[in-house]
Amino acid sequence: MSDQSSTSGYALLRNPRLNKGSAFSEEERRTYGLEGLLPPVPTTLSLQVARIHAELGNLDSDLQKYLLLSDLQARNETLFYAVLMSDPATFMPLVYTPTVGEACQKFDHIFRAARGIYLPITARGRLKGLLGNWPMKDIRFIVVTDGERILGLGDLGVGGMGIPIGKLSLYTACAGVPPEYCLPVTLDVGTNNESLLEDPLYLGLRQNRVRGADYMAFIDEFVQAAQVLYPKCCIQWEDFANISAVPILETYRDQVCTYNDDIQGTAAVALAGMYGALRISGQKLTDQRFLFLGGGSAATGIAELISQAMALEGLDIAAARARNALFDVNGLMVKSRTDLAGFQKPFAVNHAPISTFVEAVRALRPTGIIGVSTVPKLFNQQVIEAMAEINERPIIFPYSNPTSRSECTAEEAYRWSQGRAIFASGSPFGPVEIAGQTFVPGQGNNVYIFPAMGMAVFATEATRVTEEMFIVAAKAVAEQVTDKSLATGLIYPPQSQIFEASLHVAVRVAEYVFEKKLARVERPADIAKLIASRVYHPAYAA
Ligand SMILES: NC(=O)C1=CN([C@@H]2O[C@H](COP(=O)(O)OP(=O)(O)OC[C@H]3O[C@@H](n4cnc5c(N)ncnc54)[C@H](OP(=O)(O)O)[C@@H]3O)[C@@H](O)[C@H]2O)C=CC1
Ligand SMILES: CC(=O)C(=O)O
Ligand SMILES: [Mg+2]
């Protein structure tokens, strides 16, 4: 756009952060040269929200709704967030799991306006320059993926970009982190997904994934560039394969402000769910035994945080870890197995090998099973019935996303356990009625953690994200669950109240940040007030 047009009202209509669309007032239209560029009668933000609701209501595919919202985000950011925040329970499944999964799978075929920064490994040595092309200069959050494990959908190459975009939209919609501080990033190191490599529309590098020292050097260049350009930035690693996720976290967790959402955020939401479940069963955490289906990032992250929480309640850490057993493609992770990665070994149990999950359930008699395998339907009738035979109130958490990868549905868990399951799933399920009783399944998803963690880090300008901050966050989620919710089986705050719930968690985490002297701002007398003062509200500037 030429200089002549960039200062015009026409340019204003094309700047999503400043655009008000039909809501520009008559005075603004006169001042900015917008007269004639819009239909003549100004409207209001609330009418615009109502128009979007109605438009969405006329679409019958969730992907179409996703596209409408994503076009809106590219056109008018205030209106986009006003819509999302008007009804989070309705809009989260569209901009986040499950619909975002389909959008990532079809990314190259539905590509529209670009958002975020793409860093191809072919640009090694120039990453700071590419990252610096982003127009905002004070970035506080980068959500970054390399696209290798997108939800439970596998390697989607650059199509994974939908995830950082969706997660950061929820930083704002669920916890009020102002959008101008957020930057989605995709690292393109190639893809091993043959169908993408053969697709003429594929938008990423046409090569297999780079691994090993070259990969780690690329990651390091990215981290250093982000540090130099954005010294107050927190980097959230998202949807990397575990072979990359674990070493990256280990390398940087004590060097910079960073965390891995799949390992640590998921762990916190699972622990929160356990605290809720124990209020229903009336049991103690240290009496639980968990069996995980899957032994990757999410499983080992959850198992470790639960073990740490058990240790805080008096169990020896080794004994605590022994209460968290993992089961993967090759069966129960037992000490005699020679194929275990370093991060899996602490959870290997002293037991003879077991090759089927239902046998493992019968042998270990877990109080809860947690599905983080990416494989649907493996919590089958036999498994749920075995859990219901062993436990009065079996904990059943199929956490894999999106819905198509869920280890079971809410209906299956409740039906096969005669309504006794304490259930939560990674992607949302609607209420279920069994024998006249209505159950409300919770969404056991790190969305209860990462936006809140983001707001706490943003408001305090924290230097680090520590493991203890996730335990604090887990307790802060759990303490908000009412007895009324528990009576319906709901062990998390309702999705409709996620904004209020996230701010509560942010306050608790911020208190901890100040206590541990991890903040870069002065401790205020009233931390809740500090958080409230930092919250973004979707309203047009006067
Ligand atoms: N609800 C939430 O908030 C979150 C949910 N998730 C979901 O959890 C899932 C896993 O994520 P993540 O841990 O990062 O992925 P990983 O790839 O790190 O782990 C997947 C694990 O499942 C194992 N697995 C694969 N197939 C089977 C099978 N048939 N039976 C038993 N185990 C199997 C894998 O074994 P192997 O490596 O040998 O193939 C691996 O150990 C994803 O679907 C993701 O969407 C993740 C984060 C948050
Ligand atoms: C929720 C999430 O982070 C995942 O499924 O990967
Ligand atoms: Mg993830």
Side-chain angles (χ1 to χ4, degrees):
M1 190 178 284
S2 73
D3 282 341
Q4 190 189 327
S5 62
S6 64
T7 52
S8 67
Y10 186 82
L12 207 51
L13 289 174
R14 276 149 190 82
N15 181 332
R17 195 143 290 152
L18 301 177
N19 188 18
K20 303 184 185 180
S22 60
F24 278 113
S25 68
E26 284 180 355
E27 194 192 333
E28 286 167 335
R29 292 170 188 222
R30 279 193 299 276
T31 309
Y32 301 122
L34 285 159
E35 285 175 301
L37 297 178
L38 290 161
V41 179
T43 185
T44 60
L45 179 59
S46 57
L47 266 178
Q48 288 177 309
V49 170
R51 184 195 294 134
I52 301 293
H53 278 245
E55 227 186 310
L56 286 165
N58 287 328
L59 297 174
D60 32 44
S61 122
D62 285 346
L63 187 62
Q64 291 299 326
K65 294 180 188 181
Y66 174 92
L67 290 173
L68 189 151
L69 289 168
S70 126
D71 288 344
L72 179 60
Q73 188 175 18
R75 191 172 74 242
N76 181 336
E77 194 172 80
T78 311
L79 180 53
F80 171 76
Y81 284 111
V83 169
L84 256 53
M85 293 162 92
S86 69
D87 185 359
T90 296
F91 293 110
M92 272 197 322
L94 295 176
V95 297
Y96 189 51
T97 184
T99 312
V100 72
E102 189 184 353
C104 289
Q105 287 175 306
K106 298 179 177 163
F107 181 81
D108 314 291
H109 292 247
I110 58 173
F111 186 75
R112 285 161 161 75
R115 168 171 292 277
I117 286 282
Y118 293 84
L119 298 176
I121 196 158
T122 44
R124 254 183 82 181
R126 300 190 297 119
L127 297 192
K128 185 161 160 266
L130 270 65
L131 210 48
N133 283 340
W134 189 249
M136 309 307 292
K137 300 302 169 204
D138 183 6
I139 292 299
R140 303 296 180 86
F141 294 100
I142 287 177
V143 174
V144 58
T145 189
D146 73 354
E148 189 166 8
R149 195 285 281 144
I150 294 301
L151 306 178
L153 303 168
D155 182 349
L156 299 185
V158 291
M161 183 52 126
I163 296 295
I165 292 173
K167 291 260 172 187
L168 284 168
S169 298
L170 298 189
Y171 265 71
T172 303
C174 298
V177 176
E180 62 267 31
Y181 293 107
C182 299
L183 172 58
V185 173
T186 285
L187 305 174
D188 185 357
V189 298
T191 177
N192 293 349
N193 182 329
E194 287 304 322
S195 58
L196 290 180
L197 290 173
E198 284 163 14
D199 183 346
L201 286 181
Y202 181 58
L203 292 161
L205 295 178
R206 277 167 203 281
Q207 62 179 56
N208 281 128
R209 283 184 177 275
V210 173
R211 304 252 187 232
D214 283 346
Y215 176 87
M216 282 310 282
F218 178 61
I219 297 287
D220 197 56
E221 186 185 337
F222 158 68
V223 173
Q224 303 316 329
Q227 286 294 296
V228 172
L229 290 171
Y230 316 120
K232 291 182 181 170
C233 181
C234 174
I235 300 174
Q236 172 180 327
W237 306 95
E238 193 69 50
D239 289 10
F240 286 70
N242 58 53
I243 47 164
S244 310
V246 172
I248 289 173
L249 181 61
E250 284 319 307
T251 306
Y252 296 108
R253 68 191 307 160
D254 296 324
Q255 280 185 31
V256 299
C257 184
T258 195
Y259 70 100
N260 181 299
D261 184 40
D262 299 301
I263 299 175
Q264 298 166 287
T266 315
V269 83
L271 182 59
M274 293 312 166
Y275 289 134
L278 297 177
R279 277 171 62 193
I280 293 180
S281 66
Q283 295 174 352
K284 291 197 314 201
L285 184 64
T286 45
D287 290 337
Q288 306 305 302
R289 287 179 308 279
F290 299 113
L291 178 61
F292 292 76
L293 185 70
S297 304
T300 52
I302 302 170
E304 181 59 23
L305 197 73
I306 289 181
S307 302
Q308 298 291 342
M310 285 175 162
L312 287 176
E313 292 184 19
L315 264 193
D316 169 72
I317 188 69
R321 289 192 182 118
R323 288 179 166 271
N324 288 277
L326 313 179
F327 186 105
D328 74 354
V329 209
N330 297 317
L332 184 65
M333 291 197 178
V334 292
K335 287 203 187 300
S336 58
R337 267 177 66 171
T338 54
D339 62 329
L340 301 187
F343 63 91
Q344 295 166 329
K345 282 183 184 159
F347 304 100
V349 286
N350 240 331
H351 204 284
I354 300 182
S355 59
T356 70
F357 191 66
V358 71
E359 276 176 54
V361 167
R362 290 196 182 112
L364 300 185
R365 301 179 66 78
T367 50
I369 52 175
I370 301 158
V372 271
S373 67
T374 77
V375 185
K377 299 287 163 207
L378 293 182
F379 288 175
N380 57 24
Q381 188 165 356
Q382 266 192 320
V383 167
I384 307 276
E385 283 179 355
M387 283 298 290
E389 217 175 283
I390 297 163
N391 300 285
E392 183 51 39
R393 299 304 305 264
I395 295 171
I396 313 281
F397 286 0
Y399 265 16
S400 286
N401 295 314
T403 316
S404 62
R405 301 298 190 269
S406 190
E407 283 81 3
C408 66
T409 65
E411 209 269 335
E412 287 167 343
Y414 290 124
R415 184 156 40 87
W416 292 332
S417 67
Q418 302 90 41
R420 288 187 284 123
I422 303 176
F423 178 91
S425 54
S427 296
F429 285 104
V432 173
E433 204 184 300
I434 306 272
Q437 195 180 347
T438 301
F439 298 92
V440 182
Q443 187 176 359
N445 191 296
N446 48 32
V447 69
Y448 281 103
I449 304 296
F450 65 81
M453 191 60 71
M455 176 41 88
V457 169
F458 175 63
T460 61
E461 298 187 6
T463 53
R464 291 286 181 278
V465 181
T466 66
E467 208 60 12
E468 292 75 24
M469 283 157 71
F470 289 97
I471 296 190
V472 172
K475 288 186 173 156
V477 171
E479 72 196 14
Q480 298 180 74
V481 180
T482 61
D483 289 340
K484 201 170 153 206
S485 285
L486 291 177
T488 65
L490 180 58
I491 54 170
Y492 291 106
Q495 286 108 318
S496 58
Q497 284 161 30
I498 192 152
F499 188 77
E500 296 73 15
S502 298
L503 292 192
H504 176 85
V505 176
V507 171
R508 286 275 188 272
V509 175
E511 283 166 357
Y512 182 88
V513 169
F514 283 116
E515 198 183 302
K516 295 293 166 188
K517 310 219 175 312
L518 293 170
R520 276 179 279 199
V521 301
E522 213 173 299
R523 183 185 183 119
D526 185 338
I527 292 175
K529 221 167 163 181
L530 168 72
I531 299 282
S533 73
R534 304 299 270 143
V535 165
Y536 164 88
H537 294 285
Y540 291 130

